Amino acid sequence: MNPNARYVSHGRHQRPTLSSGEEVKQPAVIRRTLYELFRSYGFFLVRERLDESIVAFANLLGVNIRDVVMPSSAKIRALNNGLWEYNWRSKKCTKRPIYPKPPAEFLEYLASPSYKMTTYADQLLYLAANHSLDLTIKHTIGLARFEQDLVEFQRLKEKVLDYCGQRLGNGCDSNGTVIKPLAKCYLQDFGCGYGCVDEFMEMEGRTVGGS
C-alpha cells in the first residue's frame, strides 16, 4: 500500500468542523471517494508545507536532498522587489497585479455554514493530506532523520539564493528591465536558473541528506 493510503482511513484523521445543525449530504460516500483517491496516488504534497513535502518525498524516493533544492518563487520574485514578472508571451516585463482587500461580505461567506458544507470534501482532503504527511514523516521516515534533512534543505535553499541571485530567473530587474540573457529554465518560468543551482551544489561538494 502506498504511503498515503497507509495512513488514511475512516475515522483516523481529523474531520472538518461543522456548526450545530449542519448536515453534509452523503458524508460516507465522500470519505470513501477520498480514500480511493488517496490509494490511487503515491504521494500528496501540501502546498502550505511545501518544504516538508519535498523533503519527505525525496526520502521516500531515496533521492539526495541537495538534488531537490530550489528557492521558493516568492523569494526569487523578491529579488526585484516582487514588483515585476517576465511575460513569456510578450517577452516583456510587466508589473505584478495588486489585488484589493477582499470585501467584508466575501470574508463572512467564507466563514458561513453554507460555504463549509459546500467545501466539506475539499476540507476533508486537505486535513487527510496533512495527516498523511505527518504520519509518513513520523513512522516511515523517522522524525530525527526528517528534521535533520529539513534543516539542511532550508539551509541550502538560502545559500543557493545568496549565490545565484537574479541568475535564478524571473527575467526582470528591480526597474522592470528584461535581464539578458534570461536564466535557463526547464519550461517557461519553471525551474529557472537550475544551471546555477547545479553549479552551487557542485561547489558545495558534499553529500547531504538521503543518499
Side-chain angles (χ1 to χ4, degrees):
M1 187 179 290
N2 68 48
N4 284 307
R6 182 184 305 162
Y7 299 124
V8 179
S9 61
H10 304 317
R12 287 191 183 179
H13 54 80
Q14 185 181 1
R15 297 179 185 179
T17 302
L18 300 175
S19 300
S20 177
E22 294 179 14
E23 290 187 9
V24 175
K25 293 181 180 180
Q26 299 182 308
V29 174
I30 292 175
R31 290 194 293 272
R32 182 64 187 176
T33 300
L34 293 182
Y35 178 66
E36 292 298 332
L37 177 64
F38 265 78
R39 289 186 61 191
S40 67
Y41 283 86
F43 188 76
F44 275 84
L45 280 78
V46 179
R47 176 63 183 86
E48 291 80 4
R49 299 172 63 185
L50 192 56
D51 282 3
E52 293 171 85
S53 297
I54 292 174
V55 171
F57 194 42
N59 268 280
L60 293 176
L61 293 177
V63 175
N64 193 296
I65 291 300
R66 68 177 187 174
D67 291 333
V68 295
V69 170
M70 192 69 192
S72 70
S73 57
K75 288 198 173 184
I76 294 173
R77 287 195 296 269
L79 293 172
N80 61 35
N81 301 320
L83 300 176
W84 302 91
E85 61 185 0
Y86 184 77
N87 187 306
W88 290 91
R89 292 185 177 180
S90 67
K91 300 190 182 302
K92 295 180 180 179
C93 290
T94 57
K95 281 207 168 185
R96 296 183 61 81
I98 299 176
Y99 298 101
K101 183 179 179 181
E105 295 83 358
F106 177 71
L107 296 177
E108 289 174 5
Y109 172 67
L110 294 183
S112 70
S114 174
Y115 179 77
K116 289 181 180 179
M117 285 190 290
T118 301
T119 60
Y120 179 83
D122 298 309
Q123 294 178 62
L124 188 60
L125 175 61
Y126 179 73
L127 291 172
N130 273 279
H131 183 72
S132 175
L133 178 59
D134 287 338
L135 295 185
T136 298
I137 290 169
K138 182 177 180 180
H139 296 295
T140 303
I141 300 169
L143 281 173
R145 172 171 180 159
F146 176 80
E147 289 173 355
Q148 178 182 346
D149 284 352
L150 180 61
V151 168
E152 183 64 5
F153 176 79
Q154 292 173 336
R155 182 191 75 83
L156 288 170
K157 279 178 59 177
E158 294 299 321
K159 296 283 284 184
V160 165
L161 191 64
D162 290 340
Y163 179 78
C164 295
Q166 289 189 332
R167 292 171 64 187
L168 289 171
N170 199 29
C172 307
D173 64 16
S174 58
N175 296 317
T177 304
V178 175
I179 299 173
K180 295 182 179 180
L182 292 173
K184 192 173 182 180
C185 307
Y186 286 123
L187 175 66
Q188 295 183 348
D189 59 347
F190 296 106
C192 292
Y194 66 84
C196 183
V197 177
D198 291 343
E199 178 184 309
F200 170 79
M201 291 304 172
E202 184 177 352
M203 182 188 70
E204 184 83 351
R206 68 173 183 271
T207 301
V208 180
S211 56

